[in-house]
Amino acid sequence: MASHTSKAFLSLGRINIPRLGLQKTASRVTYSTGLSVNSANKKKGFPERSGKGNFVKRPRRDEGEPRTKRMPVDQDWTAVYPAAAPFRSGSVPLPVRMGYPIKGGVPPEKRGNLELIKIPNFLHLTPAAIKKHCEALKPFCTEWPSALDTDAKCDEHFPIKVESTDYVSSGPSLRNPAARVVQLKVKLSSLNLDDHACKKLLKLVGERYCKDTDILSITTDSCPTRQQNYDYAMYILTALYHESWKTEAWEAEKTAADMEEYSWEDSQSQRNILDVLVRMKVAGEGEGEEVREQLLGRSEVQEYKDSVTRLKNEGESESTMLQYKEAVKKVLNL
Amino acid sequence: MAAPMALRRQLCCLARIFSGSSHSGPRALGACSALRKCNIIRSHLPLPPSTSLHTATVFSSATPSSITVTEEPDTLFQKVSVLVKAHDRAVLDSYEFFSTMAAKELGITVNKVYEPPKDTERFTVLKSVHIFKKHRVQYEMRTHYRCIELSHITGSTAQVYLEYIQRNLPEGVAMAVTKTAMEKVPDHILEPIWDDHPIADKPSQ
């Protein structure tokens, strides 16, 4: 009894309790809420005994028959699944089974199957739906110009290729810093360059040129946005082009070691062959410049020159070595 | 002048109607295409913000007039390569069927569709929180790829196709699109500038 009154004091707080009678009614009021569980139970049945206390389970409505039973065979499926939605077993009239089969049995049925709900489904993208969507999208598409059907024609009219990548993924941010990279590819044969300009450009560009495909690739990623990187790449191309046409004063100091290709004139090979021929006295007696020039004019010497240049520029192979052998045999009359 | 104004009013009303209903039904066909049309037009025509609503406008009557054609030339893509990555091969199979069919319906030439080999990232961690070094557990993450290469596609078509593909990208799938655009040689690279100014040490532009 004493404990009840003390609880009543606590619940009522600062309210004055003048008489004992009032206290009793007050205490009864505080406990009436505690007793309400039992009165509610009589209507609904036993609550769970899991220790949750006042929790009451509502009775479940009986579910009706699934929609699939009333679906005609020739219905419009795009109306059932117009947009991406999770799998609803009552809306899909297919006898699908998914999951690991129970022992000695089959995979579980679709009703209440979590595996079917977890996996992304393409029920909203059936061929009929795709056709409908594409019919609506067709007015916004433009046609490819019919004159540019082969790659060769494309390269001829549009030689500059700009490559960039877009990324789509789910995450906290839309941005992908790798999307700012721009790669510009040009074939040097399509640019207006003369011999000296071409060689100077190759020297300026270095690693970025591929000799086999004659493509110069400029990759820019130093600016934060793609537009800026594209502008920078075009600027680099322009600067390279105009600089390669310019001839600076110090370019006259180009030595034989800087030359890109081997040239036979004024080379050690020319001097050697002429010395040998003069010593062999092929053109008759006498020494001097005229004899050497006469020797140079000979066809065997020209053949020898061609074979040596080819050997030095293209490297050693079956055909180049054979050609060199034939030329040497002719020149030295072996 | 009356016709463009009427056009703008129709479009503004459409935008208001469909933006209102868009959050209720996310990707219904009609709403989607109308929104896209409105988006495209918004980029070309500056719509006046306060235009009177014509509630009697019907969607079907506005369809043919809502496509704008601008004067700027279309970009030309020699190759568009779409690489899709996912953890599940079956999802990629379905997505490939969807995207190839969409490309065929829109008249886009599909160069080739191939499957690069999958990547597996494995790592081994200790099974227990504390000690038991001999007992570990191994996890792996498999990434499957699928690549669809399209060739000879214009900028507008590429935009339409890629937006369609990307809106229908399933959850858990990532995509990387590599576009190779073709361009003419710009005018300032056709002729060297030194012909006009023969001074050798002129600073380059």
Side-chain angles (χ1 to χ4, degrees):
Chain A
M1 208 37 208
S3 60
H4 289 312
T5 45
S6 63
K7 277 187 194 169
F9 276 127
L10 285 167
S11 58
L12 290 171
R14 282 190 232 141
I15 301 169
N16 285 333
I17 305 157
R19 276 178 255 160
L20 210 64
L22 261 178
Q23 280 176 16
K24 279 184 191 164
T25 51
S27 59
R28 247 178 268 136
V29 162
T30 51
Y31 282 110
S32 63
T33 50
L35 288 170
S36 65
V37 178
N38 288 329
S39 55
N41 273 349
K42 282 165 197 163
K43 286 189 218 161
K44 313 242 171 152
F46 285 114
E48 285 180 357
R49 288 171 183 262
S50 58
K52 291 209 174 168
N54 302 345
F55 176 69
V56 173
K57 216 177 172 182
R58 286 182 186 281
R60 269 187 87 172
R61 264 188 318 179
D62 292 323
E63 57 190 53
E65 72 161 3
R67 196 174 143 190
T68 52
K69 293 219 170 79
R70 282 178 280 123
M71 279 181 174
V73 178
D74 54 351
Q75 69 174 332
D76 182 22
W77 182 253
T78 55
V80 181
Y81 265 87
F87 181 86
R88 289 182 287 263
S89 57
S91 305
V92 179
L94 300 167
V96 185
R97 289 182 171 269
M98 182 148 164
Y100 192 77
I102 53 173
K103 198 163 177 187
V106 291
E109 56 173 11
K110 64 177 178 175
R111 200 166 150 269
N113 194 333
L114 193 63
E115 294 296 319
L116 281 166
I117 300 174
K118 284 195 301 199
I119 198 80
N121 65 62
F122 283 77
L123 292 163
H124 58 293
L125 293 172
T126 50
I130 300 174
K131 286 197 171 87
K132 263 199 197 174
H133 297 158
C134 291
E135 280 308 311
L137 291 174
K138 258 213 164 26
F140 297 96
C141 300
T142 50
E143 275 208 12
W144 180 260
S146 47
L148 293 169
D149 39 351
T150 57
D151 271 341
K153 283 194 200 161
C154 293
D155 289 342
E156 185 198 318
H157 296 284
F158 297 91
I160 296 188
K161 318 270 187 234
V162 180
E163 223 176 84
S164 57
T165 314
D166 292 315
Y167 298 91
V168 179
S169 63
S170 55
S173 162
L174 273 183
R175 322 256 170 226
N176 192 328
R180 72 183 199 282
V181 177
V182 169
Q183 193 179 43
L184 196 108
K185 284 190 177 166
V186 195
K187 271 207 169 148
L188 287 187
S189 47
S190 52
L191 294 174
N192 179 20
L193 291 166
D194 73 348
D195 203 31
H196 158 261
C198 198
K199 290 190 178 155
K200 185 166 176 185
L201 187 83
L202 293 180
K203 277 207 186 288
L204 282 171
V205 140
E207 284 271 322
R208 297 173 186 85
Y209 175 73
C210 172
K211 235 194 281 189
D212 302 323
T213 54
D214 188 33
I215 290 182
L216 164 69
S217 0
I218 299 171
T219 313
T220 37
D221 63 346
S222 43
C223 304
T225 65
R226 189 188 293 168
Q227 182 59 36
Q228 289 173 344
N229 277 318
Y230 170 71
D231 292 336
Y232 182 45
M234 292 305 279
Y235 162 74
I236 286 179
L237 185 67
T238 316
L240 278 172
Y241 179 78
H242 292 297
E243 283 297 314
S244 60
W245 272 99
K246 225 173 23 168
T247 313
E248 303 275 352
W250 44 260
E251 283 182 40
E253 295 162 23
K254 194 174 179 185
T255 59
D258 294 325
M259 297 286 179
E260 295 85 8
E261 279 185 346
Y262 179 78
S263 70
W264 192 75
E265 289 81 21
D266 277 348
S267 74
Q268 191 65 29
S269 174
Q270 184 189 20
R271 279 187 284 256
N272 287 348
I273 195 72
L274 288 175
D275 284 338
V276 165
L277 288 171
V278 162
R279 292 233 181 97
M280 274 165 56
K281 297 189 174 93
V282 168
E285 290 292 335
E287 288 208 6
E289 282 305 312
E290 313 87 45
V291 180
R292 286 176 189 263
E293 274 174 31
Q294 201 186 15
L295 282 170
L296 268 175
R298 287 203 171 188
S299 63
E300 296 105 10
V301 180
Q302 290 297 318
E303 263 183 44
Y304 179 73
K305 167 195 162 187
D306 289 333
S307 68
V308 169
T309 347
R310 200 168 155 226
L311 202 63
K312 288 268 182 176
N313 284 337
E314 290 174 29
E316 287 181 19
S317 72
E318 286 268 355
S319 54
T320 47
M321 291 306 280
L322 270 171
Q323 193 185 6
Y324 182 70
K325 180 175 106 178
E326 297 301 317
V328 165
K329 272 170 41 179
K330 275 194 201 155
V331 160
L332 300 178
N333 292 328
L334 294 169
Chain B
M1 270 310 288
M5 283 309 295
L7 177 69
R8 279 183 206 175
R9 257 186 244 130
Q10 278 182 352
L11 294 170
C12 195
C13 125
L14 272 174
R16 294 275 283 273
I17 289 170
F18 286 103
S19 61
S21 65
S22 65
H23 49 259
S24 54
R27 274 190 246 118
L29 169 65
C32 184
S33 51
L35 269 175
R36 247 182 260 126
K37 282 173 197 165
C38 293
N39 282 335
I40 289 168
I41 286 131
R42 243 180 251 125
S43 63
H44 297 306
L45 287 175
L47 288 175
S50 58
T51 322
S52 58
L53 268 180
H54 279 227
T55 47
T57 318
V58 178
F59 169 62
S60 55
S61 66
T63 320
S65 56
S66 58
I67 302 161
T68 51
V69 179
T70 46
E71 290 304 320
E72 57 174 272
D74 219 352
T75 34
L76 296 168
F77 291 112
Q78 194 173 26
K79 191 168 82 143
V80 172
S81 166
V82 178
L83 178 77
V84 232
K85 301 181 250 194
H87 288 301
D88 205 334
R89 203 161 166 262
V91 172
L92 286 179
D93 287 337
S94 306
Y95 191 73
E96 177 202 318
F97 173 79
F98 155 67
S99 47
T100 44
M101 189 168 179
K104 241 189 326 195
E105 292 291 319
L106 289 173
I108 301 171
T109 41
V110 178
N111 214 359
K112 62 174 170 157
V113 180
Y114 62 100
E115 188 184 351
K118 66 176 189 276
D119 282 337
T120 316
E121 191 188 318
R122 292 195 182 103
F123 47 94
T124 315
V125 292
L126 296 172
K127 209 186 235 186
S128 167
V129 161
H130 180 58
I131 54 171
F132 302 120
K133 188 67 174 246
K134 282 195 280 187
H135 302 89
R136 315 238 186 161
V137 74
Q138 293 182 313
Y139 295 104
E140 69 174 21
M141 292 191 290
R142 294 182 189 176
T143 311
H144 301 265
Y145 301 96
R146 208 53 73 99
C147 189
I148 300 158
E149 280 186 15
L150 317 164
S151 59
H152 294 275
I153 178 170
T154 56
S156 329
T157 315
Q159 209 178 12
V160 167
Y161 177 72
L162 287 172
E163 187 171 347
Y164 181 49
I165 293 285
Q166 284 163 10
R167 276 186 193 266
N168 289 313
L169 201 66
E171 41 279 359
V173 177
M175 185 198 277
V177 179
T178 310
K179 296 189 259 200
T180 309
M182 311 196 303
E183 283 176 25
K184 285 195 185 289
V185 177
D187 296 330
H188 42 267
I189 302 187
L190 285 175
E191 287 294 327
I193 52 173
W194 314 118
D195 294 340
D196 308 327
H197 309 274
I199 307 159
D201 50 356
K202 186 177 164 66
S204 58
Q205 292 177 356

